[in-house]
Amino acid sequence: MTSRSLRILVLSLAGIACSLPSFAAGAKEACGSCHPENRVETEPSVHLAEGVTCVSCHGGDPESLRVETAHRGDFRPLTNRLQSPAMCAQCHSDLAKMRPYNLPIDQYAIYLTSQHGNAVSAGDPRAAVCSDCHGFHDVRKTTDPLNPVHSANVTATCAGCHADRGLMAKYDIDPDVVAEYRSSVHARVLLDERNSAAPDCTSCHGSHGPTPPGVGDIDKICGSCHTKTRQAFLDGPHNQAMLDAGLPECASCHSNHAIRRFEVAEIESLCADCHGEGSEQAALGAKFTNLIESTREELVEADGLITQAQRVPLNVEDHIGRLEEGRTFLTEAFPQIHSVSLDAVERVTRRSRSIGSEIQHELYTRLDRRVAHATLAVFWFYLLMTVAILWRYRQKLAAAKNEETT
Amino acid sequence: MSQHPKRLLDWLSRRLNLTEVFSLLTSYGFFYTEIDSRKPLAEALEEALEKPVPSYSNWPRVLGLIVLVLMTVEILTGGLLALYYLPTPQSAHASVGVILQDVGFGALIHQAHFWGAQMLIAVLLLRLGRFFVQRVYRRPRELVWVFGILLLLVSLQADLTGRMLPWTTTSYWSSVRAIEVLATIPVISNIMLFFTGTSGAFLSEVTLIRGYILHIVVLPLLAIVLIYFHFSTVRRVGLSGEASTAGMPGRRAFRAHLASLAIIFVLLLGVLITLAVLAPEPFEIKADPFSTPPGIDPPWYLLAPFGLLEMTADFLPRWIVGLVMLLATTALVALPFLSRSQTDPGASRRPLLWALAVAMVAVWVVLTLYGARMA
């Protein structure tokens, strides 16, 4: 072999090497060479980070750069939505695969029991599949704020279908539920105050097997957070009466999606809505309002005195602790109202009010400046006496001087 | 029995020049004339008391005496407070809390120290007003005016540093505001920023300890030196106004003078304690350098420059306002040398100077109101 033909061989080998950029970059899959936008989409996904690549879902030959050879064998384009849940379940229902990530494996089983799952099984392509909520190429961890099922985003994700009037009309589902939820106290805390402790859609309905809770179960759903309120409600007469009448328990007053938090002043009119104006029950509601507002006033007054005393300063550590205790008792009054028992509400408001008035009494005594003012008056009396004596002495000197000169 | 003090005095006077020690009092105005320190004390006093007494205690002149009394009150109460105060950001607030809550009469002394300072500044301003109206800055009393202004500046500085010490929210942030205003003054600000130990955006432990040393050592010493110089000037050029040694000769007049002094002292003490009891300065929570509370003013005497800075913030660089402050202060100190009437003591009142003074006070008041609204 001549040196010339050797040189040609080396150069052409180098040229082949350069024409395989993805191999040169060290990537094992060539899919991105033809599908760059999909490669970019996949970059942030938790799947890629854990070694789940294109072929894990799509199959085919990842090393081939030719469509004919790349898209062969077990290649799946996954354009059929109806097949996709089963596809995800291949891994996500596999205990051996999910165990290292401490992920549950029952999502697919639960999904199949839901309305979404039933519709998909029945061949309805419009029903929600995994990727409608979780995304597909860019699946993220649920704790990632960019994940569509993160608590900050899930309302919008559900709204994608459930606020779609055309789509919801086909299933006879109320399309206003999302707007109603958005007006609720829960949405205000979750979405406006960005407090992720507040409930989103899935907190009450579930996620993979979304089911609306029925009459008789609502108190259990609400009670999973509002435990004391539920207990008081079950202790009171309303629970049984509503079950007998077929009324939804909590939702009868608070509504289901547009959940309302009532002002203390509204209790009477709320009672009157069912029991009628001027009824005994409406009067009881007015009593609750009075009890709570008067207790609140006591605590506000005590708080003001504490601030005043701090500026003197007086030591009010103990009073601050007791005020907090008083506030806790007042907070307990709100669940107790749901038992509609005057005794129960009075028990806690009385304790709260007595703490407030105790603090006030002690601080009024300690802030009382009457003794200081009286002492000041006595002080001025002696002071002016001293001035008078000095003045007289001065006058005497002046008089003596006048005598001298005359 | 009455022999014992006399024998003790004899014993002392053979070992110590008591007359010289006593003559110190004349340097601070507590005794009206020079004392011949070569003679024994009794003899020197005898001689001094026979000299005619200047009409010390006529009313306008009482302001200087009040300054002296208040300065003494500040030094005494300040000395007591310093027994408990701890000048570090960690413990300053708590130690003031201890003074206010646990130390006997601590709150009264703390409040008297605060109100004494406010009264001192007010009286120094009134005194300068009297100097201006009665034209005490004219020859040969140029230095009386200059020392008066310098004493005011030293007192303001003492008030400024004193405000910072309790390390409460208001004291901390109003000091930050004050430093922001003062940092605009060219040249002076560089010296001042050394003492703050920061760029002015927050106060550190260095700021606190330097402020404390200024407050308890440097500024009181400066004030004492200025008062000493003031009385030296007065002894050299005499008191202003009517013939100062008219009437009232001898011992009896001096006793009357002492009685007036005592009356002033007692009344002043009464006013001070009344203010301390009826209008105590509130003790706010401890300062947090990472959270600025709303509505914090600089100290009241810096509201006008602060207002000017706020007013001109959009179209003037800050250093120009600082330069204006510096020039105005310099002009105030140099007033005796700027005013031509000093060469002619008998010249009639100058309407231009008066108009200027009234205009300046009016501008000051307007800027103060503006500054108070902006803060």
Side-chain angles (χ1 to χ4, degrees), chain A residues 38-269:
Chain A
N38 296 345
R39 182 172 60 78
V40 171
E41 275 170 18
T42 317
E43 267 170 9
S45 87
V46 65
H47 283 152
L48 187 64
E50 294 298 333
V52 180
T53 58
C54 311
V55 288
S56 310
C57 300
H58 291 285
D61 179 2
E63 294 182 7
S64 171
L65 277 167
R66 286 178 54 224
V67 179
E68 299 80 34
T69 47
H71 292 188
R72 74 177 175 196
D74 60 348
F75 175 72
R76 304 179 288 274
L78 292 178
T79 45
N80 186 349
R81 289 166 48 80
L82 296 176
Q83 291 169 357
S84 67
M87 228 285 308
C88 297
Q90 279 177 10
C91 292
H92 280 276
S93 297
D94 183 334
L95 182 64
K97 283 181 178 164
M98 291 302 113
R99 188 58 270 184
Y101 304 104
N102 199 19
L103 287 175
I105 53 166
D106 58 354
Q107 298 105 321
Y108 184 57
I110 294 171
Y111 174 75
L112 289 179
T113 68
S114 72
Q115 295 288 342
H116 290 158
N118 283 342
V120 166
S121 301
D124 180 354
R126 293 172 307 220
V129 297
C130 310
S131 60
D132 288 321
C133 300
H134 292 281
F136 40 104
H137 287 140
D138 59 344
V139 175
R140 295 164 190 263
K141 287 191 172 185
T142 43
T143 50
D144 187 329
L146 291 174
N147 189 324
V149 298
H150 184 270
S151 65
N153 308 326
V154 75
T155 312
T157 303
C158 296
C161 297
H162 281 272
D164 182 338
R165 288 180 182 280
L167 186 60
M168 287 303 109
K170 295 191 175 71
Y171 299 96
D172 198 22
I173 295 176
D174 180 4
D176 295 325
V177 286
V178 179
E180 284 171 10
Y181 170 75
R182 196 63 190 81
S183 73
S184 74
V185 62
H186 286 161
R188 187 165 54 74
V189 176
L190 177 72
L191 302 173
D192 299 339
E193 296 172 16
R194 302 209 166 262
N195 178 351
S196 60
D200 55 42
C201 311
T202 65
S203 311
C204 302
H205 292 282
S207 49
H208 296 106
T211 315
V215 170
D217 289 334
I218 291 179
D219 69 282
K220 301 179 185 75
I221 293 276
C222 300
S224 65
C225 295
H226 302 275
T227 45
K228 284 212 158 190
T229 312
R230 181 186 178 218
Q231 195 51 54
F233 181 74
L234 294 181
D235 290 346
H238 275 141
N239 182 42
Q240 197 52 51
M242 281 182 178
L243 287 179
D244 293 347
L247 289 169
E249 311 96 296
C250 312
S252 301
C253 297
H254 291 280
S255 163
N256 52 357
H257 292 111
I259 292 157
R260 268 197 71 188
R261 174 194 191 132
F262 292 103
E263 296 301 323
V264 179
E266 291 174 295
I267 299 174
E268 184 183 358
S269 66

Side-chain angles (χ1 to χ4, degrees), chain A residues 11 23 37 49 57 63 80 84 100 129 145 154 187 202 204 229 247 251 253 305 308 312-313 319 342 349 353 395 403:
Chain A
L11 281 174
F23 282 8
E37 73 284 359
C57 300
E63 294 182 7
N80 186 349
S84 67
V129 297
V154 75
T202 65
C204 302
T229 312
L247 289 169
C253 297
L305 282 173
Q308 207 182 321
V312 169
H319 296 92
L342 190 60
T349 51
R353 207 169 37 237
Q395 296 297 96
E403 259 171 42

Side-chain angles (χ1 to χ4, degrees), chain B residues 309-343:
Chain B
L309 276 170
E310 290 286 310
M311 200 179 268
T312 58
D314 296 334
F315 54 91
L316 269 187
R318 290 170 75 85
W319 66 268
I320 290 187
V321 178
L323 191 66
V324 168
M325 281 192 263
L326 185 63
L327 288 178
T329 315
T330 316
L332 211 57
V333 175
L335 173 73
F337 311 104
L338 299 176
S339 163
R340 274 182 294 134
S341 69
Q342 62 143 323
T343 53

